[in-house]
Amino acid sequence: LNFNLAKTENMLISVMDVLGKNIIENLNVEANNKSINITLTENFHGLYFITSHSSSGNTVQTFVTAK
């Protein structure tokens, strides 16, 4: 994930699959202008949603993993 924020913010990051199963829940990240890596085991293939919650608002991004 890449962040490009004017100020440092605490964010809660969650990852869920297309069926709504939480893969990562409420990962607390202090974000500003940086990148973080989220690693899934090799058994995770398909469509996933990354949700970011902060005082500035919420965002949802999608990503696809392939075999």
Side-chain angles (χ1 to χ4, degrees):
L1 296 175
N2 295 314
F3 299 100
N4 188 12
L5 305 172
K7 63 178 185 172
T8 300
E9 290 193 49
N10 287 325
M11 302 187 87
L12 291 176
I13 308 294
S14 297
V15 177
M16 80 173 63
D17 66 14
V18 72
L19 299 175
K21 179 181 175 187
N22 285 319
I23 308 302
I24 298 173
E25 190 170 10
N26 295 329
L27 175 65
N28 193 358
V29 174
E30 192 173 276
N32 54 9
N33 290 325
K34 68 177 185 178
S35 298
I36 63 165
N37 292 322
I38 295 176
T39 304
L40 301 175
T41 65
E42 61 186 56
N43 294 333
F44 287 95
H45 303 290
L47 177 65
Y48 294 89
F49 301 95
I50 302 173
T51 306
S52 305
H53 302 280
S54 73
S55 61
S56 297
N58 302 323
T59 60
V60 177
Q61 298 175 329
T62 58
F63 72 98
V64 177
T65 61
K67 291 182 180 181

